[in-house]
Amino acid sequence: MTDRSMQEPTLLLLTALADAPRHGYALIQEVAVISGGRVKLRTGTLYGALDRLLGQGLVRVESEEVVDGRARRTYALTDTGREVLTAEAERLRAVAAEAERRLAAATRAPKLRTGFAS
C-alpha cells in the first residue's frame, strides 16, 4: 500500500473481514451494516475490489465450495491486510482527534474580526 489514505470501500471491506472470513454476499451485507446503510456495494464493484485486494496480498481465499450449483469463495484478511487496516484505523483516529481538538479550541476562542462586512 502507499502512504495515501485508503478509499472508503476498501476500508469497509477490510473492516468487514477483520473479525471473520466472509463470502461475497455476506460482505455486501456487512459493508451496509458497518456504513449504516450509506454504502451499498454492487456485485461487480465488490469482486473487482476483492481481486485488487487479493493481488495486493491484503486478503486471501479462505475456502471455495459449490452451493446450489454456484461457486462460493470465502475471503479472509491476511496478516498484511490486518497490519494495513490497523495502520489506517490509527491514521483516522489521529485525524479525528485533531479535528476534535481544533473544533473545541474554536468554540473557546474569541471571534476574530476580519474587517469584512458579513
Side-chain angles (χ1 to χ4, degrees), residues 79-102:
D79 289 341
T80 302
R82 190 166 300 284
E83 291 168 10
V84 167
L85 180 59
T86 298
E88 183 67 3
E90 289 170 2
R91 186 191 72 77
L92 290 169
R93 198 172 9 262
V95 170
E98 182 62 14
E100 289 171 350
R101 184 190 71 75
R102 289 175 182 236

Side-chain angles (χ1 to χ4, degrees), residues 2-76:
T2 65
D3 287 337
R4 67 185 196 119
S5 63
M6 187 179 290
Q7 295 294 311
E8 186 176 28
T10 300
L11 174 63
L12 292 169
L13 281 172
L14 294 180
T15 300
L17 291 170
D19 60 343
R22 290 186 165 81
H23 58 79
Y25 182 69
L27 283 168
I28 289 171
Q29 292 178 310
E30 197 66 19
V31 163
V33 168
I34 293 167
S35 69
R38 197 174 39 78
V39 176
K40 295 177 175 83
L41 289 178
R42 294 176 186 231
T43 306
T45 302
L46 170 69
Y47 288 106
L50 287 170
D51 284 344
R52 182 176 47 77
L53 295 171
L54 281 164
Q56 293 173 335
L58 301 180
V59 300
R60 63 182 167 76
V61 175
E62 174 82 0
S63 64
E64 292 185 80
E65 61 184 333
V66 176
V67 177
D68 295 329
R70 295 168 44 175
R72 176 186 285 179
R73 282 184 167 181
T74 300
Y75 299 88

